[in-house]
Amino acid sequence: GNSVTQMEGPVTLSEEAFLTINCTYTATGYPSLFWYVQYPGEGLQLLLKATKADDKGSNKGFEATYRKETTSFHLEKGSVQVSDSAVYFCALREGSTLGRLYFGRGTQLTVWP
Amino acid sequence: GAGVSQSPSNKVTEKGKDVELRCDPISGHTALYWYRQSLGQGLEFLIYFQGNSAPDKSGLPSDRFSAERTGGSVSTLTIQRTQQEDSAVYLCASSSSGSRTNLYGYTFGSGTRLTVV
């Protein structure tokens, strides 16, 4: 079956620190991979995506590379800001481009000034 | 509309009552999804509608939960005889078969926070 495992939080960092949030997946086919972000009091927003192996998704200084050999899609940012404080969800979608998303449990990130 | 609209934004109900949650997807989006977000539980898939196909109900947790989508647009999630464990944020999302849009994942609404007391 399909599943997503992401590192448990909470993650607490100082401003300008390096961020990694690990995400690994299990899928029977060739999934598309996503990171969603949920800022306090807001709905989920798509942060970045990758649709095939070795693709790199990037947005707002965040990056994640689709690694088929390690079934991973780790989220990274070189220098976090206070405004990055949010909950981050890794997700996969397999098969139909309109199929359901399988989400990880989310990782709470808090960045202190 | 410009985004996915959900109503009400907050709902407090007594245990045992029925509730209806509404989702108005982005105009033209053929796929509609319901998820539930509970504290510490992440995002739980509930149900998925795609065009005129039979919905995927595999995530509904019990027969107290049902959903319909009228005219391929607005959807209503109904919870009968609510229990305290139903307290959660219920999220709706929509997506399109358009070749650009579907690569961008879903568009989520802001959710309905349901509290069963």
Side-chain angles (χ1 to χ4, degrees):
Chain A
N2 299 316
S3 66
V4 174
T5 303
Q6 57 182 109
M7 66 185 286
E8 293 191 16
V11 174
T12 303
L13 295 173
S14 297
E15 205 164 27
E16 299 183 3
F18 184 85
L19 168 71
T20 300
I21 300 178
N22 289 338
C23 171
T24 57
Y25 67 89
T26 301
T28 54
Y30 301 96
S32 296
L33 301 173
F34 304 84
W35 277 99
Y36 280 80
V37 59
Q38 187 174 33
Y39 297 104
E42 298 185 15
L44 271 78
Q45 303 172 26
L46 180 65
L47 180 60
L48 54 83
K49 62 165 177 64
T51 57
K52 61 184 187 298
D54 300 326
D55 269 3
K56 177 185 283 189
S58 60
N59 187 24
K60 300 182 180 180
F62 290 89
E63 293 184 339
T65 302
Y66 188 144
R67 300 286 188 201
K68 189 166 182 288
E69 62 277 14
T70 54
T71 62
S72 64
F73 193 55
H74 304 322
L75 183 68
E76 295 182 337
K77 186 174 185 182
S79 177
V80 293
Q81 305 300 312
V82 172
S83 57
D84 294 326
S85 298
V87 181
Y88 293 81
F89 292 90
C90 185
L92 74 82
R93 183 182 63 208
E94 188 174 45
S96 164
T97 52
L98 294 178
R100 58 170 286 196
L101 283 171
Y102 295 80
F103 285 92
R105 295 169 74 97
T107 302
Q108 171 76 55
L109 170 66
T110 301
V111 180
W112 295 99
Chain B
V4 177
S5 178
Q6 292 188 245
S7 61
S9 55
N10 280 285
K11 176 71 176 180
V12 179
T13 189
E14 291 181 354
K15 178 181 172 181
K17 300 283 191 184
D18 298 351
V19 295
E20 287 189 348
L21 312 180
R22 176 187 168 104
C23 174
D24 201 342
I26 291 174
S27 178
H29 276 195
T30 57
L32 186 147
Y33 316 80
W34 283 97
Y35 283 80
R36 178 166 71 174
Q37 185 175 21
S38 305
L39 191 63
Q41 297 298 315
L43 282 155
E44 178 186 4
F45 168 74
L46 297 177
I47 188 169
Y48 155 45
F49 297 89
Q50 165 49 22
N52 295 321
S53 302
D56 176 355
K57 304 180 181 180
S58 60
L60 294 178
S62 77
D63 59 8
R64 296 186 296 105
F65 288 73
S66 63
E68 63 177 19
R69 188 178 185 193
T70 53
S73 181
V74 172
S75 177
T76 302
L77 177 69
T78 301
I79 309 173
Q80 296 179 309
R81 305 181 302 281
T82 52
Q83 304 295 314
Q84 288 187 327
E85 62 262 28
D86 299 335
S87 296
V89 176
Y90 289 81
L91 295 170
C92 177
S94 69
S95 185
S96 168
S97 59
S99 60
R100 282 177 62 83
T101 307
N102 64 28
L103 291 179
Y104 299 157
Y106 303 167
T107 301
F108 278 87
S110 296
T112 295
R113 181 175 297 279
L114 175 67
T115 303
V116 182
V117 297

